[in-house]
Amino acid sequence: MRLRSRFDALLLDLDGTLFRGHEVIPGAPEALSGAPEDAQRLVYVTNNASRSALGVAGHLRDLGFAATEDEVVTSAQAAAHLLAAELSPGSAVLVVGTDDLVAEIECVGLQAIRRFNGIAPAGVVQGHNPNTAWADLAEAAYALRAGAVWVAANTDATLPNERGLAPGNGSMVAALRTASDREPIVAGKPFAPLMEDALTRAKTRSALVVGDRLNTDIDGAHTVGLESLMVLTGVSTLEDLRTQPADRLPTYVSDSLDALNHPVADTAPIPADAQDIAAEIAARLREHPGRAIPVSAPPAADD
Ligand SMILES: [Mg+2]
């Protein structure tokens, strides 16, 4: 049985899994297009809070993926849902982020503001925006000192781009953490809110998390008790598995997304006491080209 056929839904990471920056990962659209006989739900799950679900779906379609707006779940949406649950309707929320994040805040019945005079906002929401400046962080710091609920879309320290690793939202969150002596609630992967939003959208808990990063995608799968496939097309490498805690390993590892369309390699999971997990998996990947390698037992079904 094909790996993907064992699940009712795939929760797909974007950057490093489907594309790298502006370039599609070769074979990725084809790997996902072969719809199984049963209707499998594809949910595109992104920590990037700078663009709307509509914008993300458009980018995916430009790259050859058959994505629709309602199949995209963003950390901006998860952050807005968190604030809507915490605050009364119409509450003012100071936005450090893009206009698309402003739109998500307004979409859940909260009032988005950029500056405040005197009356402290009830919430602060923080997502990546390349134009965030000191003045924006200062407004947020005043609001946090005045007791506003603080939600960060994600805490990714870095943001890969064509020139290298730029500061991600987590680096800007770190500045506010230092300035305010507060800790944010985090919406994005590896935390539960975005993962739960994705499961709600998938309308099933029979879902496989597919992603390239151990500290977001794979840890996020463990947060909500799901199986995961780590693809080696992005940030995390086999070497990184050496420092990943034994109870937070991916369920499977593969060279590419197309392993979804084949049975899992017929080989025992890597023993927990393996001398060198990276070398063990590399050897199995060579022995079973195109297949996913079982690495660890599926997580317990509780969450
Ligand atoms: Mg990724």
Side-chain angles (χ1 to χ4, degrees):
M1 181 188 240
R2 306 196 301 170
L3 171 55
R4 68 189 294 179
S5 301
R6 294 162 47 191
F7 302 90
D8 294 335
L10 302 178
L11 307 188
L12 299 156
D13 173 56
L14 274 57
D15 210 345
T17 301
L18 306 184
F19 56 77
R20 279 185 290 256
H22 297 288
E23 307 232 311
V24 69
I25 290 175
E30 295 78 11
L32 292 180
S33 67
E37 310 70 54
D38 48 330
Q40 183 170 54
R41 285 177 189 278
L42 303 186
V43 181
Y44 301 88
V45 188
T46 179
N47 255 8
N48 189 330
S50 65
R51 286 201 293 186
S52 67
L54 184 65
V56 172
H59 180 51
L60 286 169
R61 278 198 303 279
D62 288 345
L63 293 173
F65 299 95
T68 59
E69 179 184 5
D70 66 341
E71 293 172 327
V72 175
V73 183
T74 74
S75 66
Q77 293 171 327
H81 292 154
L82 267 175
L83 282 163
E86 292 277 333
L87 307 176
S88 29
S91 298
V93 173
L94 184 91
V95 178
V96 180
T98 63
D99 289 344
D100 282 345
L101 181 55
V102 165
E104 296 296 351
I105 293 300
E106 289 173 344
C107 192
V108 296
L110 297 167
Q111 183 200 351
I113 60 172
R114 292 286 193 178
R115 295 284 184 273
F116 73 95
N117 293 312
I119 302 164
V124 169
V125 66
Q126 187 174 13
H128 175 65
N129 179 355
N131 298 318
T132 293
W134 178 88
D136 305 300
L137 293 177
E139 291 291 322
Y142 306 142
L144 293 177
R145 289 278 180 190
V149 174
W150 182 19
V151 172
N154 68 68
T155 47
D156 299 356
T158 57
L159 193 64
N161 67 21
E162 292 77 10
R163 295 180 58 192
L165 293 178
N169 195 50
S171 295
M172 307 300 264
V173 166
L176 269 188
R177 188 187 280 125
T178 303
S180 68
D181 217 12
R182 297 269 311 271
E183 278 295 324
I185 305 166
V186 185
K189 298 179 272 189
F191 297 94
L194 177 59
M195 300 302 295
E196 289 293 346
D197 276 9
L199 285 167
T200 301
R201 199 72 65 86
K203 298 188 175 74
T204 177
R205 295 195 81 87
S206 164
L208 178 70
V209 174
V210 183
D212 68 304
R213 281 177 80 133
L214 288 167
N215 65 355
T216 53
D217 306 309
I218 307 305
D219 283 348
H222 281 282
T223 302
V224 291
L226 297 179
E227 293 189 40
S228 58
L229 170 66
M230 172 188 179
V231 287
L232 298 171
T233 49
V235 172
S236 295
T237 64
L238 287 180
E239 286 68 36
D240 294 328
L241 286 167
R242 292 181 179 134
T243 50
Q244 181 77 351
D247 61 351
R248 298 185 85 78
L249 291 170
T251 323
Y252 312 100
V253 171
S254 71
D255 284 320
S256 81
L257 268 187
D258 190 51
L260 288 167
N261 297 314
H262 301 278
V264 172
D266 184 16
T267 168
I270 312 292
D273 59 351
Q275 282 269 317
D276 183 343
I277 187 169
E280 293 261 3
I281 298 170
R284 283 166 167 76
L285 284 167
R286 280 194 300 274
E287 281 167 35
H288 304 275
R291 301 296 179 93
I293 306 301
V295 171
S296 64
D302 67 80
D303 54 331

